[in-house]
Amino acid sequence: AVDAIEGSVMVIAGPGTGKTQILASRIGKILLETDAQPQNILCLTFTDAGVVAMRERLIQFIGSDAYKVHLHTFHSFCHTVIQENLRHFNKRELQPLTDLERIQVLKQLIDQFPKNHPLKRYKGDVYYDIENLTSLFSAIKREGWEIEWLHQQIDRYIQEVIPETDGFYNKRERKKGNHQLTVKGKDEVERMEKLKSAIDCFPVYQSLLDQKHRYDFDDMIHWVIRLFETETDILLGYQEQFQYILVDEYQDTNHAQYQLVKELTGVEGDGFLLAELCVVGDADQS
């Protein structure tokens, strides 16, 4: 895997087998045997700790040039791209959303619910759904789900899946030909309707972020992908810069991260990648 510098390489191995060490060794090999400069190499990891660990290993291999190699988490790389191309986002001030600001925005969102909204609460903790909304909105962004598509999946679940699940229907009544939902089945339908209402809150949440000139960590990747899709010259600039791309813990990439890597590597007319791509991971840890 270290010696196969040219072409695409995927390394699948279990924990503790040296997958991250392979990436560091491979970067050293690239600099040793090709004309590539350290700044032509992009290595993406999932945590800041992973970046630090990779940097330390690289220092042992190549010395001070390790500081010139682009080592990033997916989010820090996208943040860099955004800051380098702020004028394309039509905003004079654009800053990442802090955890405190996210809570404030979600409270503002909940306060705006009309009286008959399914998620409106009048007793107990009125902001009970903040954590659920945070997870939902993050998943929508990470996987690139469209609102209309989500509604279609929920409607299909209600119409097709629930009727096929005996746990949601009265078995005795079904034998008579009557399709009566049990209490559990009715609760499940109600839960799905609440989920649809929560999904419909997503565009409002995004609008509130825009008003405050903020974006959250999941927005970063989508904005960069959209930039690459609409501004070909900018994408070509990054593709020309990064001749070698390496990804650690590849089994954990979500759809948006996969799409980002796909944009950066590019595909020529003959089907070959523009950049040499190496990914390491372990499917059993996915």
Side-chain angles (χ1 to χ4, degrees), residues 145-193:
W145 292 330
E146 297 291 339
I147 303 301
E148 183 178 351
W149 180 84
L150 285 171
H151 275 283
Q152 291 173 354
Q153 299 308 306
I154 293 173
D155 289 339
R156 186 187 69 82
Y157 175 67
I158 293 175
Q159 296 170 10
E160 299 177 15
V161 178
I162 290 182
E164 294 299 324
T165 308
D166 286 336
F168 291 142
Y169 274 83
N170 187 312
K171 294 182 180 179
R172 185 176 298 175
E173 290 296 326
R174 289 194 68 169
K175 288 181 180 179
K176 300 178 183 178
N178 300 324
H179 296 272
Q180 293 184 359
L181 280 170
T182 62
V183 173
K184 182 180 178 181
K186 293 177 181 177
D187 288 344
E188 184 67 5
V189 172
E190 182 181 350
R191 191 172 74 88
M192 289 298 102
E193 292 299 333

Side-chain angles (χ1 to χ4, degrees), residues 3-274:
D3 290 337
I5 295 176
E6 304 302 325
S8 302
V9 175
M10 175 183 283
V11 178
I12 303 174
T17 51
K19 295 189 296 295
T20 303
Q21 183 78 358
I22 283 178
L23 295 183
S25 303
R26 184 178 169 87
I27 291 173
K29 187 80 169 181
I30 291 170
L31 296 176
L32 203 62
E33 297 194 354
T34 72
D35 294 331
Q37 299 298 308
Q39 54 267 32
N40 297 136
I41 300 173
L42 171 64
C43 183
L44 296 169
T45 70
F46 276 83
T47 64
D48 292 327
V51 172
V52 173
M54 178 67 72
R55 186 87 66 188
E56 290 175 348
R57 293 185 184 188
L58 273 180
I59 290 173
Q60 297 174 3
F61 284 136
I62 62 177
S64 60
D65 278 348
Y67 292 100
K68 299 178 183 177
V69 175
H70 289 268
L71 299 180
H72 288 282
T73 63
F74 278 93
H75 290 126
S76 71
F77 172 73
C78 289
H79 177 65
T80 299
V81 173
I82 289 171
Q83 295 302 318
E84 290 175 349
N85 300 277
L86 266 180
R87 62 189 180 86
H88 290 280
F89 296 97
N90 298 321
K91 294 187 182 295
R92 291 176 295 177
E93 178 189 357
L94 196 63
Q95 296 295 328
L97 186 73
T98 66
D99 290 338
L100 177 59
E101 286 175 328
R102 177 183 287 104
I103 292 173
Q104 293 172 338
V105 170
L106 287 170
K107 283 185 175 181
Q108 182 180 350
L109 173 68
I110 292 172
D111 289 340
Q112 293 178 359
F113 286 164
K115 292 182 179 181
N116 60 345
H117 195 280
L119 299 181
K120 186 79 169 180
R121 292 174 181 267
Y122 294 96
K123 296 181 180 180
D125 183 4
V126 295
Y127 301 119
Y128 175 84
D129 287 307
I130 280 184
E131 186 174 342
N132 293 331
L133 290 172
T134 299
S135 299
L136 174 64
F137 295 163
S138 179
I140 290 174
K141 294 179 182 182
R142 290 197 312 270
E143 302 303 333
W145 292 330
E146 297 291 339
I147 303 301
E148 183 178 351
W149 180 84
L150 285 171
H151 275 283
Q152 291 173 354
Q153 299 308 306
I154 293 173
D155 289 339
R156 186 187 69 82
Y157 175 67
I158 293 175
Q159 296 170 10
E160 299 177 15
V161 178
I162 290 182
E164 294 299 324
T165 308
D166 286 336
F168 291 142
Y169 274 83
N170 187 312
K171 294 182 180 179
R172 185 176 298 175
E173 290 296 326
R174 289 194 68 169
K175 288 181 180 179
K176 300 178 183 178
N178 300 324
H179 296 272
Q180 293 184 359
L181 280 170
T182 62
V183 173
K184 182 180 178 181
K186 293 177 181 177
D187 288 344
E188 184 67 5
V189 172
E190 182 181 350
R191 191 172 74 88
M192 289 298 102
E193 292 299 333
K194 284 186 176 181
L195 177 58
K196 289 170 71 173
S197 298
I199 290 169
D200 289 336
C201 295
F202 177 71
V204 183
Y205 171 74
Q206 286 299 105
S207 176
L208 291 174
L209 293 188
D210 290 340
Q211 293 173 19
K212 297 179 182 295
H213 304 289
R214 294 291 184 270
Y215 61 95
D216 65 24
F217 287 115
D218 293 312
D219 280 321
M220 292 181 184
I221 298 179
H222 283 284
W223 286 21
V224 170
I225 291 172
R226 195 153 59 238
L227 176 70
F228 287 166
E229 290 175 342
T230 57
E231 302 292 338
T232 308
D233 291 344
I234 293 177
L235 173 59
L236 290 175
Y238 287 105
Q239 287 177 339
E240 184 176 352
Q241 177 182 356
F242 299 125
Q243 301 170 17
Y244 294 88
I245 297 177
L246 305 93
V247 184
D248 198 8
E249 302 292 353
Y250 190 66
Q251 78 278 353
D252 290 330
T253 49
N254 56 45
H255 181 75
Q257 292 164 338
Y258 162 76
Q259 191 66 32
L260 177 67
V261 173
K262 186 177 178 182
E263 292 285 346
L264 287 170
T265 52
V267 179
E268 294 178 321
D270 53 10
F272 289 103
L273 299 179
L274 297 174

